[in-house]
Amino acid sequence: MVSPLLEPSPRLRDDATVTSDITLGIAVNDELLVSGPAARRAILGQVAETGLDHLTVGDHISFHGGNGFDGIVAATAALASHDTLKVLVGVYLASLRHPMATARSLATLTQIAPGRLVLGVGVAGE
């Protein structure tokens, strides 16, 4: 008997149409720290015009020489500065935050920009 893991998938026939769930985005972090909302909107507008599916922001409490970057704040800035871009937080360090405050922030953000936030969650940094 052949193992089910070794049997060819019926979806991968030569005559079958193959679709993909792969999306393409760009990571921005320091770029969102520009001063002034007009500059931020211009950057995000350029990202949207390229046809990318989303932009990604990071999350680092303290990183490389003490600089940090808050993923939820960055996502909020991006979502509030552009009307259609989707934002992925990759990867939010949830274990370093209080769960109730995190849940409240995320719930509010999804009300502001429904369907445009994707949250990647991790337990540690680099």
Side-chain angles (χ1 to χ4, degrees), residues 1-51:
M1 175 161 180
V2 176
S3 167
L5 297 176
L6 299 177
E7 291 179 11
S9 170
R11 293 185 58 212
L12 299 179
R13 298 186 331 249
D14 290 336
D15 61 341
T17 301
V18 178
T19 60
S20 174
D21 291 331
I22 295 174
T23 61
L24 185 61
I26 186 169
V28 295
N29 285 310
D30 294 338
E31 295 83 0
L32 290 177
L33 298 176
V34 296
S35 86
R40 200 169 14 265
R41 282 192 297 273
I43 291 168
L44 297 174
Q46 289 173 343
V47 170
E49 287 174 14
T50 66

Side-chain angles (χ1 to χ4, degrees), residues 39-124:
R40 200 169 14 265
R41 282 192 297 273
I43 291 168
L44 297 174
Q46 289 173 343
V47 170
E49 287 174 14
T50 66
L52 293 171
D53 298 303
H54 64 272
L55 65 95
T56 301
V57 296
D59 182 61
H60 296 286
I61 298 285
S62 179
F63 188 66
H64 295 295
N67 296 324
F69 197 80
D70 188 293
I72 290 182
V73 172
T76 301
L79 291 166
S81 297
H82 196 277
D83 292 337
T84 61
L85 274 175
K86 289 187 177 182
V87 176
L88 180 138
V89 180
V91 168
Y92 190 69
L93 303 176
S95 62
L96 301 178
R97 269 67 169 232
H98 192 282
M100 186 61 81
T102 299
R104 178 69 271 157
S105 294
L106 292 169
T108 301
L109 186 51
T110 57
Q111 288 175 311
I112 292 169
R116 296 195 301 137
L117 177 68
V118 177
L119 181 67
V121 178
V123 294

